[in-house]
């Protein structure tokens, strides 16, 4: 049992390499690969664990790649529990082009889960969530799982007295918000525009749109990711804006997961919203210093934290 439970329905083995330039129709001789356990909830759990948080990662796993994923989590000593599935856990492949400093990310859809496997996932989640304060559902849904799955999760964990945190996109996000009662969501600006159907060109627009979701009972806190423009954290009574920290970027992969991990960890430690946003911004920037999906490290977070500047929005 853990204070923070993460759910990853479509995990992956993340493979990362680099090359001078990506060109078509040629054999591209890459550098030695890095391999990490991946998927939104797993990445969040990895960072929370590094920060000293009491966390457990619940995830689906199947086939030979599923065994590799279990071993990678064990190697990092991440408290975890697998949900057995028949299909083969997916792999994701990322290439860093050193000449342009761009990342190319190739993401497979994942195995198709049966209705029984979806139901088993909900049962195992219910068993583990009984003692958790926060349940973080993060990442895409695999084929076979209905768009309203996270809405079902939200209803279930809310009935158990847990606060649900959701980081997903598209129909899965929309369905969960319509169900309501979510503690915290982390949409990008593009995702917020899709949800509202509005251009949202100014900070005032972002605050208004976020507060509309809160007023409708869909979420209590909106952590709006603005990419290179930082982030905005909005509740019913507060709004804080943080600019992105300027760091030397090794890879952009994993910054969002690191941000969310530090944000929820800080809130679980009874930090106020402003303090939690500072931790999140430092963690997101720290992830940029690491290649591939190595994610942020506590020493880098602590070093960057004093540089984070906030203002009321």
């Amino acid at each position: 049992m853990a204070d923070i439970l993460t759910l990853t329905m479509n995990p992956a083995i993340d493979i990362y390499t680099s090359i001078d330039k990506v060109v078509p129709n040629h054999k591209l001789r890459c550098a030695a690969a890095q391999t990490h356990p991946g998927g939104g909830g797993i990445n969040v759990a990895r960072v929370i664990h590094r920060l000293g948080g009491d966390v457990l990662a619940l995830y689906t796993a199947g086939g030979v790649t599923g065994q590799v994923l279990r071993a990678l989590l064990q190697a990092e000593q991440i408290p975890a529990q697998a949900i057995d599935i028949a299909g083969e856990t997916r792999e994701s492949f990322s290439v860093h082009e050193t000449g342009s400093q761009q990342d190319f990310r190739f993401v497979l859809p994942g195995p198709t889960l049966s209705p029984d496997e979806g139901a088993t996932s909900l049962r195992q989640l219910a068993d583990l969530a009984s003692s958790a304060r926060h349940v973080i559902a993060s990442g895409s849904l695999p084929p076979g799982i209905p768009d309203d799955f996270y809405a079902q999760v939200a209803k279930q964990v809310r009935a158990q007295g847990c606060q649900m945190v959701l980081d997903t996109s598209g129909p899965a996000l929309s369905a969960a918000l319509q169900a309501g009662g979510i503690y915290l969501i982390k949409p990008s600006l593009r995702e917020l525009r899709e949800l509202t159907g509005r251009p949202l060109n100014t900070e005032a627009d972002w605050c208004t749109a976020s507060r509309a979701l809160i007023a409708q009972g869909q979420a209590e806190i909106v952590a709006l990711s603005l990419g290179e423009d930082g982030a905005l954290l909005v509740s019913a009574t507060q709004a804080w804006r943080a600019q992105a920290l300027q760091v030397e970027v090794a890879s952009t992969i994993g910054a969002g997961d690191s941000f969310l991990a530090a944000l929820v960890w800080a809130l679980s430690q009874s930090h106020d919203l402003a303090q939690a946003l500072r931790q999140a911004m430092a963690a997101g920037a720290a992830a940029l210093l690491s290649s591939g999906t190595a994610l942020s490290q506590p020493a880098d977070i602590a070093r960057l934290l004093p540089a984070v500047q906030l203002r009321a929005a």
Side-chain angles (χ1 to χ4, degrees):
M1 300 301 180
D3 187 51
I4 302 172
L5 176 65
T6 72
L7 174 65
T8 313
M9 290 300 296
N10 202 15
I13 297 170
D14 284 334
I15 301 169
Y16 174 86
T17 187
S18 61
I19 195 169
D20 291 340
K21 186 176 181 180
V22 176
V23 294
N25 303 320
H26 289 274
K27 288 184 178 179
L28 304 178
R29 306 293 181 181
C30 300
Q34 300 178 26
T35 304
H36 293 112
I42 284 176
N43 285 339
V44 169
R46 290 167 66 200
V47 175
I48 291 175
H49 180 69
R50 292 173 190 176
L51 290 169
D54 180 19
V55 66
L56 176 71
L58 178 65
Y59 65 101
T60 61
V64 175
T65 47
Q67 292 298 324
V68 174
L69 179 59
R70 295 171 199 252
L72 289 170
L73 285 165
Q74 289 171 359
E76 288 195 28
Q77 299 183 328
I78 307 300
Q81 180 171 313
I83 303 164
D84 293 326
I85 60 171
E88 193 87 13
T89 296
R90 64 179 176 153
E91 294 178 311
S92 292
F93 184 65
S94 300
V95 179
H96 181 71
E97 190 178 66
T98 56
S100 67
Q101 296 299 304
Q102 293 186 96
D103 290 312
F104 295 84
R105 305 173 68 177
F106 303 90
V107 180
L108 298 176
T112 299
L113 270 61
S114 69
D116 284 346
E117 289 169 335
T120 297
S121 300
L122 288 173
R123 286 196 299 269
Q124 291 197 29
L125 176 68
D127 291 341
L128 294 171
S130 59
S131 66
R133 284 195 297 155
H134 297 92
V135 172
I136 306 173
S138 180
S140 63
L141 292 174
I145 295 297
D147 291 339
D148 71 346
F149 182 82
Y150 285 141
Q152 297 177 54
V153 170
K155 181 179 179 181
Q156 178 175 292
V157 301
R158 187 168 64 250
Q160 293 180 270
C162 305
Q163 292 179 317
M164 177 162 171
V165 176
L166 180 61
D167 184 11
T168 191
S169 60
L173 174 59
S174 180
L177 288 176
Q178 290 303 313
I182 295 172
Y183 173 61
L184 186 151
I185 59 170
K186 191 190 77 66
S188 66
L189 181 55
R190 175 184 58 79
E191 289 160 355
L192 188 61
R193 285 169 172 156
E194 290 175 353
L195 285 170
T196 62
R198 295 166 52 199
L200 305 180
N201 292 324
T202 68
E203 184 179 281
D205 292 339
W206 308 336
C207 288
T208 299
S210 297
R211 287 227 163 96
L213 296 177
I214 295 167
Q216 293 161 12
Q218 297 184 7
E220 294 181 35
I221 300 171
V222 177
L224 181 61
S225 173
L226 301 169
E228 295 179 353
D229 291 323
L232 180 70
L233 191 64
V234 182
S235 72
T237 58
Q238 300 180 56
W240 295 98
R241 175 74 187 277
Q243 295 294 332
L245 295 177
Q246 300 302 309
V247 297
E248 186 173 342
V249 178
S251 171
T252 59
I253 301 169
D257 293 332
S258 294
F259 174 98
L260 183 62
L263 181 66
V264 178
W265 170 81
L267 291 171
S268 76
Q269 300 297 303
S270 300
H271 292 193
D272 61 27
L273 288 184
Q275 292 172 316
L277 182 56
R278 287 189 181 96
Q279 289 282 348
M281 292 301 299
L288 301 177
L289 303 173
S290 301
S291 60
T293 49
L295 306 175
S296 55
Q297 298 293 339
D300 291 325
I301 296 172
R303 178 172 56 82
L304 292 170
L305 187 59
V308 178
Q309 306 234 340
L310 302 186
R311 62 171 173 80

Short mmCIF file of all heavy atoms in Angstrom, two decimals, residues 170-195:
data_model
loop_
_atom_site.label_atom_id
_atom_site.label_comp_id
_atom_site.label_asym_id
_atom_site.label_seq_id
_atom_site.Cartn_x
_atom_site.Cartn_y
_atom_site.Cartn_z
N GLY A 170 -7.20 13.95 -25.69
CA GLY A 170 -8.21 13.49 -26.63
C GLY A 170 -9.50 13.05 -25.96
O GLY A 170 -9.89 13.54 -24.90
N PRO A 171 -10.20 12.07 -26.58
CA PRO A 171 -11.49 11.62 -26.05
C PRO A 171 -11.41 11.09 -24.62
O PRO A 171 -12.38 11.23 -23.86
CB PRO A 171 -11.89 10.50 -27.03
CG PRO A 171 -11.18 10.84 -28.30
CD PRO A 171 -9.88 11.44 -27.88
N ALA A 172 -10.29 10.48 -24.23
CA ALA A 172 -10.16 9.96 -22.87
C ALA A 172 -10.20 11.09 -21.85
O ALA A 172 -10.81 10.97 -20.78
CB ALA A 172 -8.87 9.16 -22.73
N LEU A 173 -9.54 12.21 -22.16
CA LEU A 173 -9.55 13.37 -21.27
C LEU A 173 -10.94 13.99 -21.23
O LEU A 173 -11.47 14.31 -20.15
CB LEU A 173 -8.52 14.40 -21.73
CG LEU A 173 -8.51 15.74 -20.99
CD1 LEU A 173 -8.25 15.54 -19.50
CD2 LEU A 173 -7.46 16.67 -21.61
N SER A 174 -11.55 14.18 -22.39
CA SER A 174 -12.87 14.79 -22.46
C SER A 174 -13.91 13.99 -21.69
O SER A 174 -14.71 14.55 -20.92
CB SER A 174 -13.30 14.93 -23.93
OG SER A 174 -14.57 15.52 -24.03
N ALA A 175 -13.88 12.67 -21.85
CA ALA A 175 -14.86 11.81 -21.16
C ALA A 175 -14.66 11.87 -19.65
O ALA A 175 -15.64 11.90 -18.88
CB ALA A 175 -14.74 10.37 -21.65
N ALA A 176 -13.42 11.88 -19.20
CA ALA A 176 -13.15 11.94 -17.76
C ALA A 176 -13.61 13.26 -17.17
O ALA A 176 -14.18 13.30 -16.07
CB ALA A 176 -11.67 11.72 -17.51
N LEU A 177 -13.39 14.35 -17.89
CA LEU A 177 -13.81 15.65 -17.38
C LEU A 177 -15.33 15.75 -17.33
O LEU A 177 -15.89 16.36 -16.41
CB LEU A 177 -13.24 16.76 -18.26
CG LEU A 177 -11.73 17.00 -18.12
CD1 LEU A 177 -11.27 18.06 -19.10
CD2 LEU A 177 -11.37 17.41 -16.69
N GLN A 178 -16.00 15.16 -18.29
CA GLN A 178 -17.47 15.18 -18.27
C GLN A 178 -18.00 14.43 -17.06
O GLN A 178 -19.05 14.79 -16.51
CB GLN A 178 -18.02 14.58 -19.56
CG GLN A 178 -17.81 15.44 -20.80
CD GLN A 178 -18.39 16.84 -20.67
OE1 GLN A 178 -19.54 17.00 -20.25
NE2 GLN A 178 -17.61 17.85 -21.01
N ALA A 179 -17.27 13.40 -16.64
CA ALA A 179 -17.69 12.65 -15.44
C ALA A 179 -17.49 13.49 -14.18
O ALA A 179 -18.22 13.34 -13.21
CB ALA A 179 -16.90 11.34 -15.34
N GLY A 180 -16.48 14.38 -14.21
CA GLY A 180 -16.28 15.33 -13.12
C GLY A 180 -15.59 14.73 -11.91
O GLY A 180 -15.32 13.52 -11.83
N GLY A 181 -15.30 15.62 -10.95
CA GLY A 181 -14.76 15.19 -9.68
C GLY A 181 -13.27 14.90 -9.68
O GLY A 181 -12.77 14.26 -8.75
N ILE A 182 -12.53 15.35 -10.69
CA ILE A 182 -11.09 15.10 -10.74
C ILE A 182 -10.37 16.18 -9.95
O ILE A 182 -10.72 17.37 -10.01
CB ILE A 182 -10.60 15.05 -12.20
CG1 ILE A 182 -11.24 13.85 -12.91
CG2 ILE A 182 -9.09 14.96 -12.28
CD1 ILE A 182 -11.00 13.81 -14.39
N TYR A 183 -9.37 15.78 -9.20
CA TYR A 183 -8.63 16.72 -8.36
C TYR A 183 -7.74 17.64 -9.20
O TYR A 183 -7.79 18.86 -9.06
CB TYR A 183 -7.79 15.94 -7.35
CG TYR A 183 -6.85 16.79 -6.51
CD1 TYR A 183 -7.34 17.79 -5.69
CD2 TYR A 183 -5.48 16.56 -6.55
CE1 TYR A 183 -6.47 18.56 -4.91
CE2 TYR A 183 -4.61 17.32 -5.77
CZ TYR A 183 -5.11 18.32 -4.96
OH TYR A 183 -4.25 19.07 -4.21
N LEU A 184 -6.95 17.07 -10.10
CA LEU A 184 -5.98 17.87 -10.86
C LEU A 184 -5.83 17.29 -12.26
O LEU A 184 -5.73 16.07 -12.42
CB LEU A 184 -4.64 17.88 -10.13
CG LEU A 184 -3.52 18.78 -10.68
CD1 LEU A 184 -2.60 19.23 -9.53
CD2 LEU A 184 -2.66 18.06 -11.72
N ILE A 185 -5.80 18.16 -13.25
CA ILE A 185 -5.49 17.77 -14.62
C ILE A 185 -4.29 18.58 -15.12
O ILE A 185 -4.03 19.67 -14.63
CB ILE A 185 -6.68 17.96 -15.58
CG1 ILE A 185 -7.14 19.43 -15.62
CG2 ILE A 185 -7.83 17.04 -15.21
CD1 ILE A 185 -8.15 19.73 -16.71
N LYS A 186 -3.57 18.01 -16.09
CA LYS A 186 -2.39 18.69 -16.64
C LYS A 186 -2.49 18.74 -18.17
O LYS A 186 -1.75 18.05 -18.88
CB LYS A 186 -1.10 18.00 -16.21
CG LYS A 186 0.17 18.83 -16.53
CD LYS A 186 1.43 18.03 -16.31
CE LYS A 186 1.72 17.05 -17.42
NZ LYS A 186 2.03 17.68 -18.72
N PRO A 187 -3.38 19.55 -18.71
CA PRO A 187 -3.47 19.65 -20.16
C PRO A 187 -2.38 20.57 -20.72
O PRO A 187 -1.86 21.44 -20.03
CB PRO A 187 -4.85 20.27 -20.38
CG PRO A 187 -5.04 21.14 -19.18
CD PRO A 187 -4.38 20.42 -18.04
N SER A 188 -2.05 20.36 -21.97
CA SER A 188 -1.26 21.34 -22.70
C SER A 188 -2.19 22.44 -23.19
O SER A 188 -3.43 22.30 -23.14
CB SER A 188 -0.57 20.69 -23.89
OG SER A 188 -1.54 20.27 -24.84
N LEU A 189 -1.63 23.54 -23.68
CA LEU A 189 -2.46 24.61 -24.23
C LEU A 189 -3.26 24.10 -25.43
O LEU A 189 -4.43 24.44 -25.59
CB LEU A 189 -1.59 25.80 -24.62
CG LEU A 189 -2.33 27.02 -25.18
CD1 LEU A 189 -3.42 27.51 -24.23
CD2 LEU A 189 -1.33 28.15 -25.48
N ARG A 190 -2.65 23.28 -26.26
CA ARG A 190 -3.37 22.71 -27.41
C ARG A 190 -4.57 21.89 -26.92
O ARG A 190 -5.67 21.98 -27.48
CB ARG A 190 -2.43 21.82 -28.24
CG ARG A 190 -3.12 21.08 -29.38
CD ARG A 190 -2.17 20.15 -30.10
NE ARG A 190 -1.58 19.17 -29.21
CZ ARG A 190 -2.20 18.06 -28.79
NH1 ARG A 190 -3.45 17.80 -29.19
NH2 ARG A 190 -1.59 17.21 -28.00
N GLU A 191 -4.37 21.09 -25.88
CA GLU A 191 -5.46 20.26 -25.37
C GLU A 191 -6.57 21.12 -24.75
O GLU A 191 -7.75 20.80 -24.89
CB GLU A 191 -4.91 19.26 -24.35
CG GLU A 191 -4.06 18.17 -25.00
CD GLU A 191 -3.13 17.46 -24.04
OE1 GLU A 191 -3.04 17.86 -22.86
OE2 GLU A 191 -2.46 16.51 -24.49
N LEU A 192 -6.18 22.20 -24.07
CA LEU A 192 -7.21 23.09 -23.50
C LEU A 192 -8.00 23.77 -24.61
O LEU A 192 -9.22 23.95 -24.50
CB LEU A 192 -6.55 24.13 -22.59
CG LEU A 192 -7.51 25.00 -21.77
CD1 LEU A 192 -8.35 24.15 -20.83
CD2 LEU A 192 -6.75 26.08 -20.99
N ARG A 193 -7.34 24.14 -25.69
CA ARG A 193 -8.05 24.71 -26.84
C ARG A 193 -9.02 23.70 -27.44
O ARG A 193 -10.14 24.05 -27.83
CB ARG A 193 -7.04 25.17 -27.89
CG ARG A 193 -6.31 26.46 -27.52
CD ARG A 193 -5.14 26.73 -28.44
NE ARG A 193 -4.57 28.06 -28.20
CZ ARG A 193 -3.31 28.39 -28.51
NH1 ARG A 193 -2.50 27.50 -29.08
NH2 ARG A 193 -2.87 29.61 -28.26
N GLU A 194 -8.61 22.45 -27.52
CA GLU A 194 -9.50 21.42 -28.07
C GLU A 194 -10.70 21.21 -27.16
O GLU A 194 -11.83 21.01 -27.64
CB GLU A 194 -8.72 20.11 -28.23
CG GLU A 194 -7.68 20.15 -29.35
CD GLU A 194 -6.85 18.88 -29.41
OE1 GLU A 194 -6.99 18.03 -28.50
OE2 GLU A 194 -6.04 18.75 -30.35
N LEU A 195 -10.49 21.26 -25.85
CA LEU A 195 -11.58 21.06 -24.90
C LEU A 195 -12.61 22.18 -24.98
O LEU A 195 -13.81 21.94 -24.87
CB LEU A 195 -11.03 20.97 -23.47
CG LEU A 195 -10.32 19.68 -23.08
CD1 LEU A 195 -9.63 19.85 -21.73
CD2 LEU A 195 -11.30 18.52 -23.01
#
